[in-house]
Amino acid sequence: MSKNLLILALLLVGTTMLAQPKNGRPHRNQMDQFTPEQQSQLILKKMTLELDLNDSQQKEMSAIISEKMTKKEAHKAEMKANKEKGVKPSNDERFAMKMKMLDEQIATKKRMEKILNAKQFEKWTSMKEDFKENRQERFKENRHGNRQGRNQEKRQG
């Protein structure tokens, strides 16, 4: 009887530990829980609050965001398909992808300059820089944290 209780307790503890999120984070990217349309709406609302967009600006921004989300989803699907096939892009293909991405960023920046007034554009640029810095910090933290976890496993194993 006590053996059964011990086994039950170990199973309960084990399943509870497996159910806990890694590194105390609920999901790698919480936006992935939403459909692309929902993500677009959330991004537009945040931008409207941050930049104080008027109705016509919101309509134009909605179109830009939707286009970006469509391209993002298509790119994710293409990359996933290539990964499943075991196909890695060549250096020339990676270069072409980076060039295309930078061209799209330049085009988006030009569109934003036409839509936003000078003050809004300045704030948008600042927001983009802040987001980029935060993303780089999170990336470094994750890499450092994962490396520590692997080193501890090696020492214990």
Side-chain angles (χ1 to χ4, degrees):
M1 180 77 167
S2 64
K3 221 180 204 182
N4 289 340
L5 285 174
L6 180 64
I7 292 172
L8 182 63
L10 287 173
L11 283 173
L12 183 63
V13 169
T15 55
T16 303
M17 288 177 67
L18 289 174
Q20 296 297 317
K22 304 264 190 276
N23 297 331
R25 295 177 186 227
H27 294 286
R28 198 180 107 202
N29 186 352
Q30 291 180 341
M31 286 291 271
D32 285 342
Q33 305 175 49
F34 303 116
T35 65
E37 294 80 24
Q38 290 172 327
Q39 290 177 25
S40 296
Q41 289 174 354
L42 289 172
I43 291 168
L44 180 61
K45 289 288 182 186
K46 286 180 184 179
M47 289 184 79
T48 300
L49 287 170
E50 290 289 325
L51 301 175
D52 196 28
L53 302 176
N54 62 36
D55 289 340
S56 65
Q57 288 174 322
Q58 285 181 40
K59 287 178 186 173
E60 292 180 62
M61 292 301 296
S62 179
I64 291 174
I65 294 167
S66 294
E67 285 174 28
K68 287 186 84 122
M69 294 303 287
T70 303
K71 288 178 183 177
K72 178 183 168 187
E73 290 300 313
H75 181 71
K76 271 174 69 173
E78 180 184 345
M79 296 305 286
K80 185 177 180 181
N82 286 341
K83 187 175 182 178
E84 288 173 356
K85 292 178 189 174
V87 176
K88 290 187 178 183
S90 68
N91 282 342
D92 290 338
E93 290 170 329
R94 280 200 314 273
F95 177 77
M97 284 190 286
K98 286 196 180 273
M99 289 296 287
K100 181 181 174 185
M101 179 186 71
L102 291 171
D103 287 341
E104 287 176 5
Q105 286 177 359
I106 291 167
T108 300
K109 186 174 181 179
K110 287 180 181 177
R111 286 176 75 183
M112 295 297 279
E113 278 182 304
K114 290 178 183 175
I115 296 169
L116 302 174
N117 64 38
K119 185 178 174 184
Q120 289 172 323
F121 183 76
E122 185 179 317
K123 186 162 185 175
W124 175 76
T125 305
S126 173
M127 286 168 45
K128 274 185 52 167
E129 286 299 315
D130 291 345
F131 178 77
K132 184 178 179 181
E133 289 171 11
N134 288 338
R135 188 178 61 206
Q136 287 174 343
E137 284 178 25
R138 284 193 314 264
F139 179 74
K140 286 178 184 177
E141 287 173 7
N142 286 342
R143 281 189 59 191
H144 183 68
N146 289 342
R147 193 175 303 136
Q148 274 184 331
R150 283 195 299 261
N151 289 341
Q152 288 175 353
E153 288 173 10
K154 286 179 185 176
R155 280 187 242 128
Q156 291 173 354

